[in-house]
Amino acid sequence: MPQCARRSLIDESRVGTYQCSSQCVRRSSFRDRTVGGLDLDHRREWFYKRIEDLATIFVIQVCDARVVDNQFHLILRNRPDLAAKLSDREVVQLWLRLSSKRLDLKP
């Protein structure tokens, strides 16, 4: 049975709180372990750092983040009130933090 599109679940004009989760693929894991002599303990820290970076780019509040074995769970709050206050220049600067493209911004 198909699920409805996320865009129909989220009202972008109102602040809302959402629970999101996902699992790792190809038997990857956040678990503290070693594979082939490589220590994989750093994966959790990478994940938390990336979530922190993405939250600032997309103007989203991370209320809670948990990593367990091969999955993660997030409680996120969208902030359209803060996004509406961003200038065009700030939006472009945030996008450039996410993108590999380079633009020359004129003052």
Side-chain angles (χ1 to χ4, degrees):
M1 172 185 242
Q3 296 181 4
C4 59
R6 289 186 183 125
R7 71 176 169 261
S8 66
L9 297 174
I10 298 173
D11 182 357
E12 295 177 9
S13 64
R14 294 180 38 203
V15 174
T17 304
Y18 305 92
Q19 192 267 340
C20 306
S21 64
S22 187
Q23 291 186 328
C24 298
V25 297
R26 290 183 259 158
R27 295 185 180 175
S28 293
S29 176
F30 289 108
R31 193 174 7 176
D32 300 341
R33 64 184 180 125
T34 59
V35 172
L38 298 175
D39 182 11
L40 303 179
D41 191 28
H42 59 281
R43 287 183 176 179
R44 288 178 193 262
E45 293 306 315
W46 276 357
F47 176 79
Y48 287 125
K49 178 67 175 138
R50 184 65 175 160
I51 291 300
E52 181 182 308
D53 290 344
L54 290 174
T56 61
I57 291 171
F58 290 107
V59 195
I60 292 175
Q61 233 177 338
V62 178
C63 301
D64 196 16
R66 293 285 185 250
V67 174
V68 290
D69 193 23
N70 69 338
Q71 57 187 301
F72 65 85
H73 299 269
L74 301 171
I75 305 293
L76 304 174
R77 181 174 294 132
N78 67 329
R79 295 301 307 264
D81 53 332
L82 297 179
K85 294 178 183 177
L86 295 173
S87 68
D88 290 345
R89 183 179 183 87
E90 289 170 318
V91 170
V92 170
Q93 288 172 334
L94 290 172
W95 181 81
L96 287 173
R97 284 181 47 201
L98 182 66
S99 172
S100 61
K101 298 183 188 290
R102 306 256 325 142
L103 293 177
D104 291 324
L105 298 177
K106 297 181 180 175

